[in-house]
Amino acid sequence: MELLKILASEYGPSGREEKIRDTIIKYAKDITEDIKTDVLGNLIVHKKGNGKKVMVAAHMDEIGVIATVTDENGFIRFSPVGGLNNKDLIARRVVFENGVVGVIGSEEDNKDRKIAKMYIDIGAKNREEASEKVKTGDMAVFCGEFIDSGDTVISKALDNRAGCYVMLEAMKRINTENDLYFVFTSQEEVGLRGAKTAAYSIAPDYALAIDVTDTGDTPEGIKMEVKLGNGAAIKVMDRSILCDSYIRSVLIETAKKNNISYQLEIMNDGGTDAGAISLSGTGVKTGGISIPTRYIHSPSEMVSKKDLNSCIELLTAFVNNI
């Protein structure tokens, strides 16, 4: 799990993916030298072949907050970068790119947990002291230690560094004549932006998005079939896409043929890069492999090692045989 720990621990909110991108490059260059970064910050790793053109995407950005204004007492107001769960923000620690750590606080009457009534406390005495450490436009991400707890791992940013991990591990194992584009996309958390431009430039025949998905196995939780530890989740639909039926059937048959644990995913809230890719150009046959994850968009996201391995095996077998 050392690689996953390195990826999950790196700073990289939407639009500021430079550090996580540089980290991924260190590992991707052992697989191929054909690596480039496009205008929107996507990292495109190309393994040239003479077969079908296949794009596999996993977003590398994480949710965060952006400093908007500092008051005279040194408290920093902020806006979300990506989908924050407002009710879980109070007393959470965040860290800015320069290492400054703050705590999210709230005005006393903020019963509805409105972000407009929250602030980041970095311990500054006044506006001048705070402004020396944090400027308007600076972004912060959750503090969340990486914990290996046996069958599972817990960390911030497993959405979607777990997907990046799955893709990097599969890249080592894939052996095919297909023309492969592994894209670590930017700005997924703010509207699937990087995947849209990358897919347009690549124009793939087939595509897969690797991302996390919710689970339906916690007490009184959401109602869905996906459970932690039950294997790779083959996406049927989410709010951004109805997955291509051919891609879905190939994924299911591949899992059965190779004795890979799998389950089917219908996610009623949220979307993934698959939606943007499928609508690119004249359209792309697109599917998804999802990693079951509890407590998404929190500092303590949880995934199963078994599910990670199932996703790696399924992605590898799919790309080798599509």
Side-chain angles (χ1 to χ4, degrees):
M1 293 288 97
E2 186 60 28
L3 174 57
L4 181 55
K5 179 179 180 180
I6 290 168
L7 295 172
S9 301
E10 189 56 88
Y11 172 91
S14 303
R16 293 304 313 274
E17 296 96 350
E18 297 89 350
K19 288 186 175 182
I20 181 61
R21 186 169 59 240
D22 288 345
T23 297
I24 292 170
I25 288 172
K26 293 177 183 177
Y27 296 93
K29 69 182 181 181
D30 291 335
I31 301 166
T32 176
E33 291 296 324
D34 190 355
I35 301 173
K36 69 176 184 179
T37 301
D38 69 11
V39 173
L40 226 62
N42 297 300
L43 179 65
I44 302 174
V45 181
H46 183 207
K47 292 186 73 175
K48 187 172 178 60
N50 298 316
K52 304 176 187 73
K53 189 184 290 187
V54 181
M55 174 179 171
V56 184
H59 74 87
M60 58 185 164
D61 58 313
E62 62 185 304
I63 59 169
V65 298
I66 186 168
T68 56
V69 64
T70 303
D71 70 20
E72 60 183 10
N73 295 314
F75 296 106
I76 302 164
R77 300 290 178 166
F78 63 91
S79 291
V81 179
L84 296 179
N85 191 344
N86 292 12
K87 64 181 174 58
D88 292 333
L89 290 179
I90 309 302
R92 295 293 190 189
R93 289 176 293 167
V94 295
V95 58
F96 289 88
E97 185 174 9
N98 62 3
V100 171
V101 174
V103 179
I104 295 177
S106 176
E107 296 175 18
E108 188 65 29
D109 64 346
N110 191 14
K111 294 181 175 59
D112 295 328
R113 294 293 194 262
K114 295 179 180 178
I115 286 182
K117 290 195 171 187
M118 296 183 193
Y119 54 83
I120 299 171
D121 181 358
I122 62 171
K125 298 182 180 64
N126 50 49
R127 180 188 289 117
E128 290 70 26
E129 184 177 325
S131 297
E132 290 176 1
K133 299 178 180 179
V134 175
K135 304 286 192 296
T136 297
D138 286 352
M139 291 185 185
V141 298
F142 286 134
C143 294
E145 184 183 0
F146 186 95
I147 303 294
D148 185 332
S149 58
D151 292 336
T152 62
V153 294
I154 302 166
S155 177
K156 66 94 172 171
L158 292 177
D159 178 10
N160 185 38
R161 308 296 166 68
C164 296
Y165 167 79
V166 165
M167 203 154 75
L168 281 168
E169 290 295 327
M171 285 163 61
K172 301 174 187 175
R173 309 180 188 188
I174 289 169
N175 183 20
T176 176
E177 290 301 313
N178 287 329
D179 194 25
L180 308 180
Y181 291 82
F182 298 96
V183 185
F184 299 87
T185 61
S186 65
Q187 299 189 41
E188 189 271 353
E189 295 289 4
V190 291
L192 318 180
R193 297 174 185 176
K196 182 177 182 180
T197 59
Y200 181 84
S201 67
I202 294 168
D205 299 314
Y206 304 109
L208 279 181
I210 314 299
D211 207 335
V212 301
T213 187
D214 287 312
T215 68
D217 57 358
T218 56
E220 302 301 320
I222 59 175
K223 306 301 181 187
M224 64 186 300
E225 290 292 336
V226 177
K227 295 179 173 58
L228 202 74
N230 274 19
I234 296 173
K235 187 179 289 293
V236 177
M237 66 167 285
D238 59 33
R239 292 190 68 181
S240 72
I241 188 174
L242 284 163
C243 288
D244 179 79
S245 59
Y246 172 70
I247 298 289
R248 186 175 74 246
S249 65
V250 171
L251 284 168
I252 292 171
E253 289 306 312
T254 299
K256 289 179 178 178
K257 181 179 178 180
N258 293 276
N259 295 314
I260 299 169
S261 298
Y262 78 94
Q263 48 195 322
L264 299 180
E265 174 216 353
I266 295 176
M267 187 169 69
N268 290 319
D269 291 316
T272 70
D273 280 338
I277 296 168
S278 69
L279 297 175
S280 176
T282 57
V284 179
K285 285 182 173 295
T286 306
I289 298 174
S290 300
I291 304 155
T293 306
R294 293 177 182 162
Y295 321 118
I296 292 176
H297 285 196
S298 81
S300 302
E301 296 170 337
M302 178 187 291
V303 301
S304 158
K305 293 179 184 178
K306 176 184 174 183
D307 293 341
L308 288 171
N309 287 329
S310 294
C311 289
I312 294 166
E313 292 172 359
L314 182 56
L315 174 57
T316 302
F318 173 86
V319 174
N320 278 341
N321 295 288
I322 186 67

